[in-house]
Amino acid sequence: FASILSRMGAITLFTFSKVFATSSSCETSTVTMPMTHSMSHLMPTMTMPMPTETAAATTPTGAKDLGTGDLGVLNYALTLEYLENEFYRQGVTNYTNNDFVNANYPKDTFSEMLNIANHEKVHVETLIKVINASYPNMYVDPCVYNFGVVDIAGFVAVARALERTGVSAYLGRVAEISNKDYLTAAGTIVTVEARHAAFLNRISGYSAAPDAFDTPLDPTVIVSIAAQFIVSCPFDLGVVPLEKLTAPTDANGVVVVDGKYNGMMCSFVVGANVAYMVINEGKCYLPPNASTDTYLFITKDMSKDFVAGPAIITSQKSSLESLESSSLSRLSLISSVSAIAFIPIVVMSIIV
């Protein structure tokens, strides 16, 4: 797969501001949310106690930027892992097993959340050790976060979005790693993140693996997503996020965007494919191959010239009927949509 990635066609996709559909109705609404993730060295034993403190219980380094080369990629991964680690630390502190059971999630949900929280803590600790081994005291410190989660459904929705985005973040930068040891280590983490994503998909009522390919996302996209949860950072993130995009979508697949985008394109990214549609009267339509999570960008034309995004439109409800009452909104898969230019891409690579 690494060799395939290295040959991927360039489609400098995205620099998103992830949006997730969460609502108590069957109509979709979009709630901005987000991003993140991984890279590191061989995982230590994961039978450690639940984290009870913020991820880097280390001496602040005062690093002012991510750095370049392998250091830059490792610090980028660490930045995302910090975010995930703190998110889960807060979640397993604020919610209990009974909270998940009462919200109709499977009985083992809380124990799995504890497990995931442990994984993220290990990822942070390991990345810091890896960076320190080759670049002493050059790892970045954690940011200050505000996740805006107010209930169990919101926690699960954000967790699901973070894990999916984390996998995409890894894929977006894996080709930049020059040290083969780091590359192997990154692979050992991204596969675990993908398992987290599959678990969260299932308990949310969706297919564990809805697409044959995941979508690589470049740093601008990932930072645009993560920025929604970041209050401040003690270092320069290195990119400017795209303009946020909200795109409420109804059960008929009608996507509503700001009228200022009229004449531009809705660019839908579905797995390893892109579909374009001209925006008319502030509307466009989901493509017929819409997946569980379809990324939407606004582009000036059928190109890489991104104006805003991404918004994440959630669709294709699975048969997990026990979660029918979940507050995550669901959208029926559209069976036919006309006037879409559909461009298949075997695999896509993001130009940084």
Side-chain angles (χ1 to χ4, degrees), residues 74-337:
L74 291 171
N75 266 327
Y76 173 71
L78 177 59
T79 298
L80 299 173
E81 294 290 357
Y82 274 144
L83 185 152
E84 282 196 314
N85 180 60
E86 180 59 15
F87 171 75
Y88 284 107
R89 187 198 69 79
Q90 291 184 19
V92 298
T93 299
N94 295 335
Y95 299 111
T96 66
N97 182 66
N98 285 340
D99 291 328
F100 284 96
V101 172
N102 292 338
N104 296 319
Y105 287 100
K107 293 180 180 179
D108 65 342
T109 298
F110 185 66
S111 64
E112 288 297 333
M113 291 298 185
L114 291 175
N115 195 37
I116 293 173
N118 271 334
H119 292 175
E120 305 302 353
K121 182 173 184 287
V122 170
H123 292 170
V124 167
E125 293 172 341
T126 304
L127 277 169
I128 289 175
K129 290 177 182 177
V130 169
I131 294 171
N132 259 337
S134 299
Y135 310 93
N137 296 317
M138 294 180 70
Y139 61 85
V140 293
D141 298 315
C143 301
V144 176
Y145 312 101
N146 182 357
F147 298 104
V149 172
V150 296
D151 58 22
I152 288 287
F155 174 75
V156 172
V158 174
R160 181 171 170 269
L162 289 179
E163 296 295 349
R164 180 183 176 92
T165 307
V167 172
S168 292
Y170 160 80
L171 294 176
R173 299 206 67 178
V174 64
E176 299 176 44
I177 301 174
S178 60
N179 185 311
K180 291 183 179 179
D181 290 335
Y182 296 160
L183 184 59
T184 298
T188 65
I189 287 183
V190 72
T191 52
V192 173
E193 301 293 357
R195 291 186 182 99
H196 295 169
F199 165 73
L200 290 160
N201 275 352
R202 289 303 289 155
I203 68 169
S204 299
Y206 302 103
S207 169
D211 302 305
F213 296 98
D214 283 312
T215 305
L217 302 178
D218 75 8
T220 304
V221 175
I222 297 300
V223 170
S224 297
I225 293 170
Q228 300 174 57
F229 305 112
I230 295 175
V231 176
S232 64
C233 285
F235 60 91
D236 183 2
L237 287 168
V239 298
V240 178
L242 290 177
E243 179 180 327
K244 285 186 178 181
L245 175 63
T246 56
T249 306
D250 68 19
N252 295 313
V254 178
V255 182
V256 179
V257 298
D258 194 306
K260 68 181 180 181
Y261 301 130
N262 284 340
M264 297 186 189
M265 307 290 287
C266 276
S267 299
F268 296 97
V269 181
V270 184
N273 298 288
V274 183
Y276 297 92
M277 175 174 280
V278 175
I279 300 169
N280 184 29
E281 297 183 350
K283 297 178 182 179
C284 53
Y285 301 87
L286 275 176
N289 67 323
S291 185
T292 297
D293 293 305
T294 297
Y295 299 111
L296 169 63
F297 296 88
I298 303 299
T299 57
K300 290 185 178 179
D301 48 35
M302 291 172 61
S303 71
K304 307 165 186 175
D305 195 356
F306 293 97
V307 175
I312 296 179
I313 301 172
T314 299
S315 60
Q316 197 175 20
K317 187 179 81 171
S318 81
S319 61
L320 200 58
E321 298 302 330
S322 63
L323 292 178
E324 188 67 34
S325 61
S326 167
S327 69
L328 290 171
S329 60
R330 296 177 171 87
L331 181 68
S332 299
L333 185 63
I334 305 307
S335 59
S336 62
V337 178

Side-chain angles (χ1 to χ4, degrees), residues 16-27:
F16 321 29
S17 68
K18 200 166 197 169
V19 170
F20 204 72
T22 65
S23 152
S24 57
S25 70
C26 291
E27 299 296 306

